[in-house]
């Protein structure tokens, strides 16, 4: 069984840079100049972790089904993409 993650975008914090939508267009899209997830509940996919770490505003958060934050990954340090 595949793992599911929850994606959230803080639209107040989002700068509208479009990095997320350009990097993972299947998961993020710009709406009114700010990002939102295409779907909140996704199958586990490392690209969303990379995008959350890349976001200049740290507006994207990814949690696993148990509610643990997977990204941005502030405990371990920057992820190398
Ligand atoms: S990368 Fe971050 S700041 Fe840029 S559009 Fe996406 S959520 Fe907004």
């Amino acid at each position: 069984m595949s793992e599911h993650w929850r994606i959230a975008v803080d639209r107040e914090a989002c700068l509208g840079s479009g990095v997320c939508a350009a990097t993972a267009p299947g998961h993020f899209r710009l709406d009114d100049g700010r990002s939102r997830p295409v779907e909140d509940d996704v199958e586990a996919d490392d690209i969303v972790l990379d995008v959350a770490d890349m976001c200049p505003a740290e507006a994207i958060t990814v949690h696993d089904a148990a509610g643990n934050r997977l990204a941005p990954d502030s405990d371990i340090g920057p992820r190398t993409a």
Side-chain angles (χ1 to χ4, degrees):
M1 197 175 82
S2 61
E3 193 181 344
H4 275 246
W5 293 344
R6 289 196 67 80
I7 304 175
V9 175
D10 180 345
R11 284 170 57 83
E12 298 287 315
C14 172
L15 304 170
S17 66
V19 170
C20 53
T23 307
H27 291 297
F28 300 92
R29 62 187 167 86
L30 290 187
D31 175 15
D32 243 353
R34 307 260 173 113
S35 172
R36 66 167 73 245
V38 172
E39 288 185 274
D40 299 345
D41 190 321
V42 301
E43 283 191 25
D45 183 348
D46 283 346
I47 190 74
V48 300
L49 302 182
D50 291 340
V51 169
D53 285 337
M54 279 192 282
C55 171
E58 296 196 351
I60 300 168
T61 49
V62 184
H63 289 83
D64 67 14
N68 300 307
R69 193 175 87 172
L70 303 175
D73 196 349
S74 54
D75 297 336
I76 298 173
R79 182 183 303 269
T80 51

